[in-house]
Amino acid sequence: MVVRYAGNSPTWFPHTGGFQVYQATQLLTGAGQVQLAWTELHSLDGRMMFVARGCSRSYEVADFTGSAFGDGIYFLDDRKSNDIDMVSLAAHAAPRRCYTCSDNGGCRWVEGEPRLQVFRRWFTNKQHSDYSPPIWCIP
């Protein structure tokens, strides 16, 4: 599970400001039963995660040699992608579509205490678009 922090902080708004990543773990209770719990991960251990509302994926970096993607979290500005009124508008008719597109990028975790998250943003100069946010294509 990935928790994405955005919004209410003046230093983040309207951008993503941080992530927490959790892994489902099984714990054995004293009664011999299995209980599920979320355990926070402090490293991605060579994984790349693509995070979006409703659809997120995780892959081993080693499975994509030569790829421009390294270990980290990659995210899209999809705040308006589920807005039915927005999607139903014609692309160039009035009123125009106005998808947000300034919060796309990648987040790399830097080892150490405290753990740092270094962000690289894409399309920062573009606030709105007539078209839906970009998608990820991995061969």
Side-chain angles (χ1 to χ4, degrees), residues 51-133:
V51 178
R53 287 173 176 80
C55 182
S56 299
R57 296 284 186 260
S58 177
Y59 299 98
E60 295 286 338
V61 172
D63 292 342
F64 295 90
T65 56
S67 168
F69 296 103
D71 63 334
I73 300 172
Y74 300 91
F75 55 97
L76 299 174
D77 188 344
D78 54 0
R79 290 174 280 176
K80 296 276 189 170
S81 62
N82 290 330
D83 184 336
I84 299 300
D85 294 332
M86 177 78 64
V87 175
S88 64
L89 293 173
H92 298 290
R96 296 187 69 171
R97 292 179 182 167
C98 193
Y99 289 103
T100 54
C101 59
S102 62
D103 191 20
N104 299 293
C107 174
R108 186 174 52 87
W109 287 7
V110 177
E111 296 296 325
E113 288 296 326
R115 181 184 63 207
L116 298 175
Q117 294 183 5
V118 178
F119 286 84
R120 180 174 174 213
R121 309 241 181 238
W122 300 307
F123 315 120
T124 56
N125 61 338
K126 189 158 179 75
Q127 291 298 314
H128 300 285
S129 172
D130 291 343
Y131 303 98
S132 63

Side-chain angles (χ1 to χ4, degrees), residues 5-18 103 119 121:
Y5 293 98
N8 295 331
S9 169
T11 57
W12 298 348
F13 187 79
H15 293 51
T16 299
D103 191 20
F119 286 84
R121 309 241 181 238

Side-chain angles (χ1 to χ4, degrees), residues 13-59:
F13 187 79
H15 293 51
T16 299
F19 290 97
Q20 284 182 297
V21 179
Y22 295 87
Q23 175 178 306
T25 55
Q26 294 182 359
L27 305 172
L28 192 59
T29 67
Q33 296 179 339
V34 174
Q35 181 180 8
L36 296 176
W38 292 107
T39 304
E40 184 176 2
L41 299 178
H42 297 284
S43 170
L44 295 179
D45 292 326
R47 299 192 67 76
M48 52 185 169
M49 303 179 81
F50 296 87
V51 178
R53 287 173 176 80
C55 182
S56 299
R57 296 284 186 260
S58 177
Y59 299 98

